[in-house]
Amino acid sequence: MPNRLLRVNAYTTFDMLDAEAVGHDFTEEAFAVLNVTAPRKNPDHVRLELELDNSQLDHLPAHADKVTLSASEARELSEELASYAERVEKAQQETDDE
């Protein structure tokens, strides 16, 4: 990914996801990096970072999106992700059983 803004290494949460950038008059697909981190010293927040491969985008300049979450917000997000993951797994299992 040229002009990468996020640091990607062996500890990056997800370094190759399918992503989509949506604007009022465009939708583009690209590979993306998604990372979850917290400060090493005196952690006071959780950071969620997302960067799409700008070499695959025509409408957006190189950029990264970051969200700062409190510990309780991170737990709430985790619960939501687990709930939707169970829903997807259940639907896939039902499809496989047919």
Side-chain angles (χ1 to χ4, degrees):
M1 194 186 304
N3 300 322
R4 187 181 306 258
L5 300 169
L6 297 180
R7 178 181 294 172
V8 177
N9 58 36
Y11 301 105
T12 301
T13 309
F14 295 104
D15 61 0
M16 185 70 103
L17 296 174
D18 292 325
E20 193 174 68
V22 179
H24 286 290
D25 58 351
F26 70 90
T27 299
E28 295 184 303
E29 295 179 356
F31 291 123
V33 170
L34 178 66
N35 196 36
V36 179
T37 188
R40 287 181 185 216
K41 294 182 181 180
N42 303 318
D44 61 348
H45 66 275
V46 174
R47 176 160 286 153
L48 184 62
E49 303 170 321
L50 176 69
E51 180 180 3
L52 277 64
D53 181 352
N54 67 328
S55 71
Q56 296 179 296
L57 301 175
D58 295 323
H59 292 87
L60 294 174
H63 74 286
D65 295 304
K66 299 179 180 186
V67 176
T68 301
L69 304 168
S70 67
S72 64
E73 290 168 334
R75 283 191 196 92
E76 184 177 344
L77 176 59
S78 173
E79 291 169 8
E80 285 289 311
L81 289 169
S83 173
Y84 280 99
E86 288 176 20
R87 184 173 156 192
V88 169
E89 288 173 338
K90 183 178 177 182
Q92 289 175 343
Q93 192 171 35
E94 290 172 0
T95 302
D96 291 343
D97 291 343
E98 292 179 353

